[in-house]
Amino acid sequence: ASAVAPTVSGHLSIFLEPGAVIRGSSTINNRLWFLSDTSYTYNLSITGSGTFDGSLMPNSTPGNAWDILYTGGWKSIKIDGQTFYQGADYRTAGSDSSIFITNENSVISNNTFIGAWDLAIYLSGDASSANGYDCRILGNKFYGCQGGVGAKREFRKFVVSGNSFERCIIVTGK
């Protein structure tokens, strides 16, 4: 099985009702959701109160990252009110990062991250280092994650504020 990788043209708004679950399987061979615009023109919004469950997904291997949600190429992103579940804690987790972001103007707020095997929120500049900046990570809760938030590959200008971290090994900012 492969990831949900729709071709998107235009603004995309996804509202998950309470109790809605998007679940990856043990046979998935990529990211659970790969939402990419590539034009840096449109906005992505994921709101409501659903669950992204990556607990059955395989752990990453060298050269392969099995993230729950990959977003790239959007003008702006808002992810609010979701639960990202990978296992009771990082030692029993499936997949890799909960959210992998390589775009501009992101707000990740009021989410719950449970048991991320790598970083719950992984911020990355792209290959040109021209994109990947201005992310606000606000009011999230992290439980049993190996890493809370991290930025690599010249991701620029991010704020981590008002978050709580419990039983996490690596924490970037509060």
Side-chain angles (χ1 to χ4, degrees), residues 31-94:
R31 295 163 169 119
L32 178 55
W33 266 37
F34 186 93
L35 295 174
S36 183
D37 169 29
T38 71
S39 72
Y40 293 90
T41 303
Y42 301 109
N43 304 320
L44 169 66
S45 175
I46 301 174
T47 59
S49 58
T51 298
F52 289 82
D53 184 345
S55 62
L56 299 178
M57 293 169 61
N59 290 117
S60 293
T61 57
N64 295 300
W66 316 114
D67 308 308
I68 293 178
L69 177 62
Y70 172 92
T71 64
W74 298 92
K75 180 179 178 183
S76 71
I77 290 181
K78 175 184 179 181
I79 301 172
D80 185 81
Q82 307 307 308
T83 297
F84 291 85
Y85 179 78
Q86 292 173 253
D89 70 22
Y90 71 92
R91 293 171 293 217
T92 61

Side-chain angles (χ1 to χ4, degrees), residues 87-91 93 113-117 142-147 165-169:
D89 70 22
Y90 71 92
R91 293 171 293 217
F113 298 90
I114 303 168
W117 186 72
F142 300 84
Y143 300 99
C145 300
Q146 181 161 292
F165 299 87
E166 295 181 24
R167 300 183 338 269
C168 297
I169 305 256

Side-chain angles (χ1 to χ4, degrees), residues 67-144:
D67 308 308
I68 293 178
L69 177 62
Y70 172 92
T71 64
W74 298 92
K75 180 179 178 183
S76 71
I77 290 181
K78 175 184 179 181
I79 301 172
D80 185 81
Q82 307 307 308
T83 297
F84 291 85
Y85 179 78
Q86 292 173 253
D89 70 22
Y90 71 92
R91 293 171 293 217
T92 61
S95 69
D96 191 56
S97 295
S98 300
I99 301 174
F100 188 93
I101 293 178
T102 62
N103 32 254
E104 311 169 1
N105 305 315
S106 302
V107 177
I108 311 301
S109 58
N110 306 309
N111 299 289
T112 301
F113 298 90
I114 303 168
W117 186 72
D118 187 14
L119 292 167
I121 301 174
Y122 191 128
L123 308 173
S124 179
D126 69 5
S128 71
S129 297
N131 300 302
Y133 66 88
D134 193 17
C135 183
R136 291 167 308 285
I137 300 167
L138 311 168
N140 298 287
K141 299 174 183 173
F142 300 84
Y143 300 99

